[in-house]
Amino acid sequence: LIILCLSNDFLLVYMGIELQSLAFYVLATFKRNSEFNNEAGLKYFILGSFSSCLLLIGFSFFYLALGSTSFDILFKLSENRDTFNLVSFAFVLTMVAFFFKVGAAPFHMWICDVYEGSLLSVTSFFAIVPKTVIFYLLFKIFFVTFSSYGELWSSGFILIGLLSVGVGSITALYQKKTKRLLAYSAVGHVGFILLGISSGTVDSIKS
């Protein structure tokens, strides 16, 4: 998590995400005698690996379009609109991967089972700490590095944010288990945060 906060390059970001994910897969299956816990950890591993693949492909397209993985250099190169279509595809893949990581709708299918199957302390940790760092990373990549593409990524944030708020609020009403209720509540909260970031102003980030 500290590596992710300090990273200033796509390669370091990917390495940091994979390192933390390996630790989280172990945490999700900490209660080894429980089949339910093992199932939750396996789902987390499979879907987490899938989102990491999308993230790596997205970073590769950023490198293919702009020729660098450093945030400082990408900030200077992002003014070039000749590769707009390729960068747009990279944005879609990267955003989908990050939405998987934070559990935004409709990429939240893993979050309910993992929260319900994990220990209460692990669920509390998953609900707060990793998402805080991922949102900081989203802010660094989209709001700072690719600020010139604001009209492109902000529309995606608005769409997923509204969908997350709707899905999280409505489906939470029908839950009978506390952890699943917390999971859908987390989906709704993620939606509100994405809507705040999507406005692209300094005041929204501070809030």
Side-chain angles (χ1 to χ4, degrees), residues 6-160:
L6 299 177
S7 58
N8 204 29
D9 191 284
F10 277 142
L11 295 177
L12 285 176
V13 168
Y14 184 75
M15 289 296 294
I17 286 179
E18 288 307 297
L19 282 173
Q20 73 155 15
S21 297
L22 286 174
F24 291 166
Y25 300 149
V26 176
L27 278 177
T29 57
F30 198 74
K31 195 176 181 182
R32 291 178 295 176
N33 297 327
S34 171
E35 292 184 4
F36 194 44
N37 189 241
N38 292 332
E39 180 186 352
L42 188 60
K43 287 182 180 179
Y44 191 20
F45 171 71
I46 293 172
L47 292 172
S49 301
F50 175 70
S51 65
S52 296
C53 290
L54 292 179
L55 190 65
L56 187 59
I57 296 171
F59 289 169
S60 301
F61 274 102
F62 276 126
Y63 179 75
L64 183 63
L66 301 173
S68 178
T69 57
S70 172
F71 290 172
D72 296 331
I73 299 175
L74 287 173
F75 174 73
K76 298 175 182 178
L77 295 175
S78 61
E79 298 295 333
N80 182 16
R81 294 303 179 108
D82 295 336
T83 56
F84 188 77
N85 292 331
L86 201 57
V87 172
S88 302
F89 189 61
F91 270 120
V92 170
L93 290 173
T94 305
M95 284 194 294
V96 167
F98 278 123
F99 292 153
F100 259 110
K101 299 293 184 185
V102 296
F107 313 106
H108 65 290
M109 66 283 292
W110 62 271
I111 195 170
C112 304
D113 294 328
V114 172
Y115 278 23
E116 188 179 0
S118 302
L119 296 172
L120 182 60
S121 56
V122 176
T123 301
S124 304
F125 178 81
F126 283 166
I128 301 171
V129 180
K131 291 182 181 180
T132 306
V133 177
I134 294 296
F135 273 116
Y136 171 73
L137 199 59
L138 283 173
F139 161 71
K140 183 187 285 188
I141 293 175
F142 294 102
F143 191 83
V144 178
T145 306
F146 293 105
S147 56
S148 59
Y149 289 94
E151 75 280 0
L152 184 63
W153 55 259
S154 63
S155 57
F157 278 29
I158 292 172
L159 176 64
I160 299 299

Side-chain angles (χ1 to χ4, degrees), residues 179-195:
K179 286 185 179 180
R180 295 186 75 88
L181 175 65
L182 291 175
Y184 282 111
S185 175
V187 173
H189 294 159
V190 165
F192 282 116
I193 297 174
L194 288 175
L195 288 174

